[in-house]
């Protein structure tokens, strides 16, 4: 004969299937998302006086077509006082198969007023970088994110702590290896982010934030580089500098970044922007000496829910999410963004961008329409108008700006 205690178990399906015991000591849930994209690019004409920089696409069909952007399966839960999350992206190619395909994979526990996290996750950087891919307003993140100045370093492994000091003030700090699962533990990244809400009311938010970080690369770590991907994921990739690529550099090279962010949301209107300045060590040489690069990146963005919904602010992340649709026909959102990235050190004698030109500046205007027929379904239409100001290739040529445009459509489903 044995005596055993029984615990009632609850099954819920809202927001994905979830199992939870009545005492709250055990909980596990399954979520997923699928992002399916279509792209159409409209190129400019190549010019014989300039290198193949940016927008000089040779054929309108070079990058057109369909692609699975994301196919996430996510397991989250809690066992007594320990929370956990494991998330894998199955929409990857053979070179980034498991465990490289893992996105977030961590355990966390409450410590004092906040949460201590160990594993793989996003470092605490900017507003748009920390926002979930299910909730970003436009299909791509701006240049102040891992689509730009933090290229290739969206998910890192390490330890972090975040907490709310007051109901309207919070912070997060991290110390991480400059690697993700599947790579050797090498290099180091450390930094943090603080946010403050001077206005914190239902449907009325003023957000201010500041972040700073330093990434120190070694020969076995991820590269420390700024690479702007513009015109959508199938668009153009342009390097703005890679730390440690000039001759005779030391074995460890760093990137130091400081960034400010602000957002204002009132009713159906949300305005936001970020400005980042970053320094890359030893990106090029002039007069036989190693030189550093200074890169600026900023964007201004606006969105408006025609159907009257208000963006949801998530204090645990210090970022915005998307609301439940109000009406029978769902929610309709219009959005636009201006984005600029530039390497200040580019010249005819200094060439950190490796373009052989006197200027290295990228500008992108993105216009978007989002329709949410249900809270877990979104259709996104984005139009990108890009310009690359490359200056000139020699003293006898004039400044030139290349342009091309892209039309992208996404079907997004999550549970």
């Amino acid at each position: 004969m044995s005596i055993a205690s029984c615990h009632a178990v609850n099954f819920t399906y809202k927001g994905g299937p979830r199992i939870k015991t009545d005492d709250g000591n055990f909980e596990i849930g399954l979520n997923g998302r699928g992002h399916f994209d279509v792209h159409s690019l409209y190129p400019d004409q190549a010019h014989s006086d300039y290198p193949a920089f940016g927008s000089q696409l040779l054929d309108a069909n070079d990058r057109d077509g369909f692609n699975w952007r994301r196919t996430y399966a996510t397991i989250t839960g809690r066992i007594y006082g320990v929370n956990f999350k494991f998330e894998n992206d199955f929409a990857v190619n053979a070179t980034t198969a498991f465990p490289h395909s893992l996105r977030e994979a961590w355990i966390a526990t409450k410590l004092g007023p906040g949460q201590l996290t160990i594993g793989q996750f996003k470092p605490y950087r900017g507003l748009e970088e920390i926002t979930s891919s299910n909730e970003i307003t436009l299909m791509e993140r701006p240049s102040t994110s891992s689509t730009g100045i933090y290229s290739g370093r969206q998910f890192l492994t390490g330890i972090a702590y975040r907490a709310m000091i007051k109901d309207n003030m919070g912070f997060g700090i991290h110390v991480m290896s400059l690697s993700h699962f599947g790579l050797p533990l090498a290099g180091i990244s450390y930094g943090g982010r603080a946010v403050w809400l001077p206005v914190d009311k239902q449907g009325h938010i003023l957000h201010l934030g500041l972040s700073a970080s330093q990434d120190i690369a070694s020969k076995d770590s991820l590269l420390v580089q700024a690479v702007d991907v513009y015109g959508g994921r199938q668009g153009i990739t342009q390097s703005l500098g890679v730390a440690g690529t000039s001759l005779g550099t030391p074995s460890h090279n760093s990137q130091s970044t400081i960034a400010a962010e602000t957002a204002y949301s009132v009713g159906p209107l949300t305005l936001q922007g970020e400005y980042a300045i970053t320094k890359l060590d030893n990106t090029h040489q002039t007069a036989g000496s190693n030189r550093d690069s200074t890169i600026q990146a900023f964007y201004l963005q606006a969105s408006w829910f025609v159907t009257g919904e208000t963006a949801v602010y998530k204090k645990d992340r210090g970022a915005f999410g998307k609301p439940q649709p109000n009406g029978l026909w769902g929610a309709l959102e219009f959005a636009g963004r201006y984005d600029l990235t530039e390497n200040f050190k580019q010249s005819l004698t200094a060439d950190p961008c490796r373009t052989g030109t006197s200027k290295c500046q990228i500008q992108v205007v993105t216009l978007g329409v989002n329709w949410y027929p249900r809270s877990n379904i979104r259709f996104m239409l984005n139009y990108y108008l890009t310009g690359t100001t490359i200056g000139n290739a020699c003293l006898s040529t004039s400044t030139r700006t290349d342009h091309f445009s892209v039309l992208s459509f996404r079907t997004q489903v999550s549970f």
Side-chain angles (χ1 to χ4, degrees), residues 30-84:
L30 175 65
N31 298 96
R33 73 187 71 169
H35 297 177
F36 183 61
D37 294 355
V38 185
H39 308 278
S40 182
L41 282 74
Y42 303 89
D44 65 352
Q45 299 298 316
H47 195 291
S48 59
D49 290 342
Y50 297 86
F53 183 99
S55 60
Q56 294 183 6
L57 301 175
L58 299 179
D59 190 327
N61 297 317
D62 278 352
R63 302 164 191 261
D64 288 355
F66 303 83
N67 73 290
W68 280 108
R69 178 61 186 277
R70 299 178 182 93
T71 309
Y72 282 14
T74 307
I75 298 174
T76 58
R78 180 174 63 246
I79 301 176
Y80 287 89
V82 178
N83 298 314
F84 60 87

Side-chain angles (χ1 to χ4, degrees), residues 398-412:
S398 59
T399 296
R400 180 179 176 201
T401 301
D402 288 338
H403 298 282
F404 79 104
S405 57
V406 183
L407 190 65
S408 297
F409 177 78
R410 170 175 295 168
T411 301
Q412 174 179 314

